[in-house]
Amino acid sequence: MIRLNCGSVTVGGVRMDNHLILAAGVLGTTGASLARILSTGAGAVVTKSIGPFPHEGHPGPCFAEINGGLINAMGLPNPSKDFLTELTPVSGKPVIASVFGGNPAEFLEVASWFSGRVSGIELNLSCPHAEGYGAAIGNDPGMVEACTKAVKSLGMPVWVKLTPNVTDITECGVAAERGGADGIVAINTVKAMRISTDLRRPVLGNRFGGLSGPAIFPIAVRCVYELYEACSIPVIGCGGVSSAHDVVEMMMAGASAVQVGSAVIHDGDIFGSIRDALYSPDGMRPEEIVGCAHG
Ligand code: SIN
């Protein structure tokens, strides 16, 4: 397998210890868990999405394991501004705050709480099951551009996490770039559902949820590939990554860095395992493989 030369990297304005990033939503709710993931080998971490008001989330069940992945409908539970106290254990570390709002003003307000306290902001314009938030507004390129522009006014690095649940993801990627984004994260979960045949009811309390895990990896690779061709800013790959091989494949599609989410649930040391398999002092320069699958 191809191995890469390690070293700190700067992607989309964020300096990180390596190319591997904890994806939003997974073990990102406390400072202690963010610090633990950094200590196991992640180059940077993204927090659970924080919004303008404290929110309990959707009624349960919120989570189910299925063939090839996980399906969740947490419903963006978060303590809102009170989350800031969780940043103390990771002060000065490569932490990206995931934020959401229902319009540009709310995005700006929430992002401003993090100004000077994190390395960058990731806009959640992609949760597939939150009324008025996430993909409900992030499927509109005009809204993507406006929210990005509002948060970019703070002068921090801004990444925009996109939904795959659209006909053409590049329209939203180009809109984020127009709004001044420093990077695009692709992809959030794929809207999905399961039905319990015993109960004759949807498995999730919210009925619909988001599919993550290995089942969506080929969709994520396709989206990264398309965005790499359409946009000039870095693309950060996300979706079903669980091995060093997946990281290399995602980078060949065009990812400058790669997020890992669901795989952490089964292996708390996944970042260390991927890092050890991916990097070698005599490995290739990452620039040699990023986007190399494009003709
Ligand atoms: C959730 O909290 O429901 C998941 C967040 C997301 O999919 O962005």
Side-chain angles (χ1 to χ4, degrees), residues 33-204:
S33 60
L34 290 167
R36 157 132 173 78
I37 293 291
L38 283 168
S39 76
T40 63
V45 289
V46 185
T47 70
K48 175 76 183 151
S49 295
I50 302 301
F53 314 104
H55 186 56
E56 298 245 322
H58 292 317
C62 293
F63 185 87
E65 189 151 12
I66 59 156
N67 272 348
L70 304 167
I71 181 168
N72 92 82
M74 306 303 291
L76 297 169
N78 80 98
S80 195
K81 201 172 185 179
D82 284 353
F83 178 77
L84 291 181
T85 56
E86 297 295 339
L87 293 176
T88 307
V90 285
S91 171
K93 307 270 190 213
V95 175
I96 296 133
S98 171
V99 305
F100 70 91
N103 54 52
E106 284 187 357
F107 267 99
L108 174 60
E109 187 197 346
V110 179
S112 72
W113 302 337
F114 292 92
S115 187
R117 305 197 56 177
V118 293
S119 307
I121 301 287
E122 181 179 286
L123 309 189
N124 183 343
L125 281 157
S126 42
C127 175
H129 46 74
E131 209 176 309
Y133 297 110
I137 59 171
N139 62 12
D140 171 359
M143 194 57 119
V144 171
E145 181 177 350
C147 293
T148 308
K149 200 168 176 185
V151 176
K152 194 56 205 171
S153 70
L154 295 169
M156 305 171 71
V158 175
W159 295 357
V160 179
K161 188 166 183 179
L162 298 180
T163 176
N165 304 305
V166 288
T167 306
D168 182 359
I169 195 168
T170 67
E171 289 182 1
C172 293
V174 169
E177 183 164 3
R178 262 200 318 269
D182 300 277
I184 297 163
V185 181
I187 53 176
N188 206 319
T189 53
V190 177
K191 190 171 183 181
M193 81 184 295
R194 291 297 300 268
I195 290 172
S196 161
T197 53
D198 291 333
L199 299 176
R200 303 182 183 201
R201 289 284 180 277
V203 167
L204 296 173

